[in-house]
Amino acid sequence: MHEAINYSFVGDDDLDLLGLPKEGRVNIANPLSEDQNVMRTELAPGLLNTVRHNLAQGNTHIRVFEIAKKFIKDETSDTETREQSRLGIMLNGPRSNAEWPNEQGDADYLDLANSKCKPTFSLAEDHSYLEPCVNITLGEKEIGFMGMVKADIADKYHAKKEVWMADLNADLLREIVMDHEIKFETLPVFPPSRRDVTAIGPISLHAETIKEAILGLRLPL
């Protein structure tokens, strides 16, 4: 992925478009323009503008991330503002560059959900700008959410293909990583072998259940 660095200032219209609440917004006393009259309460507006700018320049393979702060009004704080570092990820267009045609198809949920930290996913209800949307939990801690930007919102940013986004609590992730014991393994001696397997079952059967059943076998390879 490529790193995006966006302004901390956005417009009220940007937040309204995503259905974000007006409560908690930090207004700028002397804004340079109405497009930058409030501090961002989420990373999504800036990342969506990054997508729009790239599409306008003819870049259709977009995989960007941003590590930045969001700002929420908090009367109990000395600065009357509460800051939190977030990790935002946004994907749009083909899964791979034209130079790597082996990975066909467009980026989707699986590109975001692939993680070695073994999080738990639960369906979120009524998210303002993502549908579907899932909450991400690691152990007992909720670390963020991810999903697909609603089509009507993506269209406002000139995205004709699905836009997928993850928004994670970077402060909490850092704490988890710092507490994590790093282990090393020897390099594999066998070449990789990839197979696609289709499992048919009732709608109540979750993908996580199938994954746990396979990993539970604890096969050496």
Side-chain angles (χ1 to χ4, degrees):
M1 288 184 284
H2 291 88
E3 182 176 11
I5 301 176
N6 291 300
Y7 287 114
S8 301
F9 311 126
V10 296
D12 271 313
D13 289 345
D14 294 318
L15 302 181
D16 291 340
L17 179 59
L18 301 187
L20 297 173
K22 294 185 181 296
E23 297 78 17
R25 297 183 186 180
V26 180
N27 296 308
I28 307 301
N30 296 296
L32 296 175
S33 70
E34 288 303 306
D35 293 336
Q36 296 180 328
N37 64 353
V38 66
M39 304 292 285
R40 62 183 169 210
T41 56
E42 294 201 16
L43 302 191
L47 287 171
L48 283 167
N49 277 315
T50 297
V51 169
R52 174 165 55 188
H53 178 73
N54 274 267
L55 291 173
Q57 303 303 315
N59 178 19
T60 58
H61 172 70
I62 302 172
R63 303 173 75 86
V64 294
F65 76 95
E66 182 174 18
I67 300 174
K69 293 183 182 296
K70 72 173 187 177
F71 304 86
I72 305 293
K73 194 169 185 178
D74 184 356
E75 302 292 347
T76 64
S77 170
D78 292 338
T79 61
E80 297 187 355
T81 303
R82 184 175 72 256
E83 302 179 18
Q84 185 185 92
S85 295
R86 307 290 296 187
L87 165 61
I89 299 171
M90 193 162 282
L91 312 176
N92 174 254
R95 176 169 285 117
S96 300
N97 279 324
E99 293 82 2
W100 298 92
N102 56 312
E103 293 286 347
Q104 299 296 329
D106 292 331
D108 60 19
Y109 170 83
L110 294 177
D111 294 273
L112 289 177
N114 185 20
S115 171
K116 294 185 180 298
C117 63
K118 298 180 180 178
T120 301
F121 304 104
S122 58
L123 190 63
E125 297 181 2
D126 248 1
H127 194 278
S128 64
Y129 61 88
L130 297 180
E131 186 179 21
C133 177
V134 295
N135 293 319
I136 309 170
T137 305
L138 196 57
E140 299 296 324
K141 300 177 179 179
E142 186 171 310
I143 59 173
F145 57 88
M146 68 181 191
M148 186 179 75
V149 177
K150 293 179 179 179
D152 59 329
I153 295 177
D155 185 64
K156 293 287 199 311
Y157 292 91
H158 306 162
K160 304 306 179 186
K161 294 188 175 183
E162 296 175 351
V163 179
W164 291 87
M165 180 184 183
D167 188 315
L168 306 172
N169 184 334
D171 291 330
L172 187 54
L173 282 175
R174 182 180 183 278
E175 291 178 14
I176 294 171
V177 170
M178 295 302 288
D179 290 338
H180 183 66
E181 181 183 355
I182 299 175
K183 297 181 179 179
F184 296 91
E185 296 179 355
T186 56
L187 293 173
V189 295
F190 299 104
S193 178
R194 295 184 175 88
R195 297 288 185 271
D196 287 330
V197 178
T198 299
I200 300 176
I203 196 168
S204 59
L205 179 63
H206 293 278
E208 190 70 20
T209 304
I210 300 174
K211 179 180 173 183
E212 289 175 355
I214 296 172
L215 295 177
L217 296 174
R218 298 188 179 280
L219 300 175
L221 297 182

